[in-house]
Amino acid sequence: MESLIIYCHPYPKSFNHAVLEAVKDNLKDHHKNFQVIDLYAEHFNPIYDREELRLYHSGKTHDRLVTKYLKLLQNSSEVIFITPFWWNGIPGMLKGFIDKVMKEGKGLSHMITKLGVHGDLMNIKHTYILTTSTSPTWYIRFCLGNGIKRIFLNKTLKQLGMQDRHWLNFGRITNSSSKRRSQYLKEIQQIQF
């Protein structure tokens, strides 16, 4: 089993990309095997078309990246999402990834039972979501209802079976100093993923 990084940002010179590089350095320093899914660089299409929806309940897809990504998830013990926090939630690209890749069916990502969704991605023992935001972290938590943690981490990812979920946000990115950014990247390199 290995670590899987799911990276969701379109601009290669963004601070999110610097976070990606810090996470990769961290994993290398700890001699961990990892793979990266770069949704924008791989031209993932997050849009559910009619054919994809028709195939959903059979657990099939006509998108080769969906098959590839689901296999990577099934063979990972740890997932690290790196994404901006846009308009009080995850970007549409990442939402589309969840919509299309998480397939219902035996041996896929989840099953529908009488009690609701039963996640089959129990192989993922540790889950991290690293975000950046224009808003301060305290504002996201206390004034916006903490949707990223309350919904994405503790509902969506939990329902899929992903365990030991953590959220870390770098708030006020727009007005942050280079010193503060450098300090944050050093902290990322010290996290025990």
Side-chain angles (χ1 to χ4, degrees), residues 1 69-76 107-109 121 123-124:
M1 293 265 183
Y69 294 162
L70 184 54
K71 284 182 182 169
L72 287 170
L73 283 162
Q74 291 169 326
N75 292 307
S76 298
L108 298 175
S109 73
L121 294 176
N123 54 291
I124 300 172

Side-chain angles (χ1 to χ4, degrees), residues 85 88 135-150 167 169:
F85 183 77
N88 307 313
S135 298
T137 304
W138 64 264
Y139 186 77
I140 294 168
R141 282 190 176 130
F142 302 112
C143 298
L144 296 179
N146 207 3
I148 193 108
K149 187 171 182 184
R150 196 171 41 82
W167 171 54
N169 183 59

Side-chain angles (χ1 to χ4, degrees), residues 26-33:
N26 178 318
L27 296 173
K28 287 176 193 171
D29 290 347
H30 289 95
H31 309 288
K32 287 184 143 185
N33 293 327

Side-chain angles (χ1 to χ4, degrees), residues 3 47 53 63 102 112 131 155 158 167 174-177:
S3 299
I47 298 169
L53 187 58
D63 186 334
M102 303 310 161
I112 303 298
T131 58
K155 297 292 185 263
K158 180 180 179 180
W167 171 54
T174 307
N175 299 321
S176 62
S177 66

